[in-house]
Amino acid sequence: MQDTSRVAIIGGGIIGCLTGWFLREAGFAGAITIIERDPTYRFSSTALSAASIRTQFACPVNVSLSLFGSEFLRSIQNRLDPEADIGLVQNGYLILASAPSAEMRRAALAMQQSLGAKVVALDRADLATRFPWLNSEQVELATLGTADEGWFDAWALLQAARRAALRRDVAIIQAEASGFETDGGRIEGVRMADGSSLQADWCVNAAGPLSGKVARWLGIALPVAPKKRTVFHFRAPLSGKDMPMLFDISGAWMRPEGEGFIGGIQPAADADPDAGEDFEPDHYLFEDRVWPLLAARVPALEQIRLLNAWAGHYEMNLFDHNGVVGPHPDLPNFLFATGFSGHGIMHAPGVARAIAEHVVHGRYTSIDVGPLGFGRIAADRPMPESAIY
Ligand SMILES: Cc1cc2nc3c(=O)[nH]c(=O)nc-3n(C[C@H](O)[C@H](O)[C@H](O)COP(=O)(O)OP(=O)(O)OC[C@H]3O[C@@H](n4cnc5c(N)ncnc54)[C@H](O)[C@@H]3O)c2cc1C
């Protein structure tokens, strides 16, 4: 019998494209339509991200999602496209902690290891031997991922996911969603800005930084807002060949990129408004914070040449900095796949697979993403993810 059910996915970034693809993998035979307003992806978070993956998180579900994300990226040619070349570099993350946070970080390390993450603790002597370019002052604990962590080309990943979805008969239409048609406790369709509409039995909110706005069309207070993050690209007299992604105690980060490096830092809380449509890099952050903080940690950066900078939007979950995944409790065919607060690409494979499992089997059959459900927001029970950058 022909499957007549229909899934509409708002947002054709990495979450939307992989959700379409995983629905087919899970055996969904009905119609799948991804609604994407801008096929150039000029402002999409996926295209503007730092495209890195780590297993070092404070919440177990995030570690599990990253382990699957890593497996997915490593096997991308078998899974998505034999031609896919995402330039995966597996140099790990080196995360530094000072005395006040070391205890918490040790507990997180034990949890990560118990789930199979290959993360080791290093002391100052280890740091001096392995990373002689690093100043280890005030470092109480350093943790290094020895597998399943690194970085890749997000644009290449997005294009591979998009092509793979199209090949599996997932339609990607250029349109701007602007509202919903509902009937009691169900979504019946998605309305477009051009006046047309798309009937749907399931609707996935994968609109990234704009997903809070999409939820508001239904009167749902999803605490996800766009927050601007600036990435600086620079050169320095230092080889990045074996260098991991470095997260300093100060919150500044850097990693190799091509012949140079990229790096950044979160703006101060009182200088971090809802980004609206502002994609202008915060240039002041480089001179004021990123450069001095990184140069104190990596002395070779005292001589630095800034090449360029860009800014993108995090889909920031203001409630607890964790993803929001799965159905709305009162609107069961409206599914969230958003709120990842800076770690949405690495978790896209696991989240997309979970959404597909929910649609096809009515439950999560691999990673239980239940802890990321909207229920915690409705019940005002945050599950904070402290390892965000
Ligand atoms: C500077 C920066 C660095 C980052 N670094 C990392 C990192 O190292 N590792 C990591 O895992 N993550 C990182 N992230 C986060 C990551 O990029 C996001 O979590 C991820 O890309 C989210 O994917 P998405 O598909 O949900 O969103 P997007 O890629 O933004 O896709 C959403 C799409 O929805 C479309 N859309 C929105 N509203 C509508 C509408 N009404 N109608 C139709 N289409 C609509 C948009 O055009 C957009 O293309 C970073 C983000 C930024 C900004």
Side-chain angles (χ1 to χ4, degrees):
M1 201 174 72
Q2 205 189 344
D3 187 340
T4 55
S5 50
R6 301 148 300 181
V7 177
I9 300 169
I10 302 178
I14 194 60
I15 300 272
C17 287
L18 283 182
T19 299
W21 185 82
F22 268 109
L23 276 163
R24 291 290 185 238
E25 284 288 287
F28 184 80
I32 306 171
T33 308
I34 296 174
I35 305 160
E36 172 54 57
R37 61 180 189 163
D38 177 15
T40 72
Y41 294 104
R42 193 165 150 225
F43 296 117
S44 89
S45 302
T46 306
L48 297 168
S49 89
S52 307
I53 177 164
R54 63 185 155 103
T55 56
Q56 300 184 57
F57 279 95
C59 296
V61 66
N62 289 334
V63 179
S64 300
L65 285 169
S66 286
L67 285 169
F68 177 65
S70 167
E71 185 200 318
F72 184 89
L73 295 179
R74 280 185 280 110
S75 57
I76 191 141
Q77 280 140 348
N78 294 334
R79 287 176 182 269
L80 281 192
D81 181 355
E83 303 290 312
D85 178 8
I86 60 162
L88 182 63
V89 176
Q90 299 182 71
N91 280 11
Y93 270 56
L94 179 65
I95 305 186
L96 308 181
S98 59
S101 59
E103 204 46 48
M104 192 178 81
R105 292 285 312 285
R106 276 199 188 89
L109 172 65
M111 177 274 290
Q112 292 153 12
Q113 289 170 333
S114 75
L115 291 173
K118 306 282 185 293
V119 185
V120 296
L122 305 177
D123 61 19
R124 282 208 209 167
D126 300 326
L127 282 177
T129 313
R130 291 188 70 148
F131 306 113
W133 41 264
L134 188 88
N135 170 7
S136 61
E137 235 170 70
Q138 294 180 328
V139 175
E140 179 68 19
L141 174 70
T143 50
L144 175 71
T146 57
D148 299 309
E149 293 192 344
W151 50 91
F152 48 90
D153 179 339
W155 180 254
L157 176 67
L158 175 60
Q159 292 309 318
R162 199 178 144 89
R163 282 195 306 269
L166 287 168
R167 272 198 303 274
R168 301 289 292 272
D169 201 21
V170 173
I172 305 180
I173 60 167
Q174 181 177 359
E176 177 159 5
S178 63
F180 291 101
E181 288 164 5
T182 56
D183 180 15
R186 290 190 70 75
I187 289 184
E188 302 259 280
V190 180
R191 276 202 304 271
M192 310 297 170
D194 65 6
S196 63
S197 64
L198 179 74
Q199 299 309 296
D201 302 290
W202 297 91
C203 180
V204 182
N205 182 353
L210 295 176
S211 55
K213 179 179 163 190
V214 168
R216 278 197 297 280
W217 299 335
L218 291 160
I220 295 170
L222 175 69
V224 175
K227 294 284 183 178
K228 187 168 67 170
R229 293 293 177 267
T230 302
V231 180
F232 299 96
H233 186 201
F234 52 89
R235 286 217 172 148
L238 175 71
S239 166
K241 190 171 158 288
D242 299 316
M243 192 176 182
M245 166 80 116
L246 172 68
F247 273 100
D248 185 33
I249 292 166
S250 63
W253 63 270
M254 66 179 283
R255 70 158 173 81
E257 172 71 23
E259 298 293 300
F261 303 89
I262 56 172
I265 196 167
Q266 284 189 44
D270 61 0
D272 193 18
D274 186 309
E277 297 187 0
D278 176 10
F279 285 88
E280 182 60 27
D282 281 333
H283 293 283
Y284 76 91
L285 280 176
F286 190 76
E287 291 285 331
D288 290 2
R289 297 182 64 204
V290 175
W291 183 17
L293 290 169
L294 287 177
R297 186 58 68 203
V298 182
L301 297 194
E302 271 156 29
Q303 292 170 50
I304 206 166
R305 187 152 69 90
L306 182 61
L307 300 173
N308 65 323
W310 75 85
H313 291 174
Y314 274 15
E315 72 285 22
M316 189 70 93
N317 177 353
L318 306 170
F319 183 66
D320 60 9
H321 298 138
N322 253 318
V324 184
V325 182
H328 186 277
D330 302 326
L331 205 53
N333 67 341
F334 184 55
L335 306 175
F336 299 100
T338 183
F340 302 103
S341 310
H343 48 267
I345 304 189
M346 63 183 98
H347 289 175
V351 166
R353 184 177 65 173
I355 294 289
E357 289 168 354
H358 179 80
V359 169
V360 173
H361 305 296
R363 64 194 170 87
Y364 304 124
T365 55
S366 38
I367 298 172
D368 179 10
V369 297
L372 297 176
F374 190 92
R376 75 186 195 279
I377 298 170
D380 197 19
R381 276 199 306 268
M383 181 181 71
E385 174 54 64
S386 55
I388 57 147
Y389 303 100

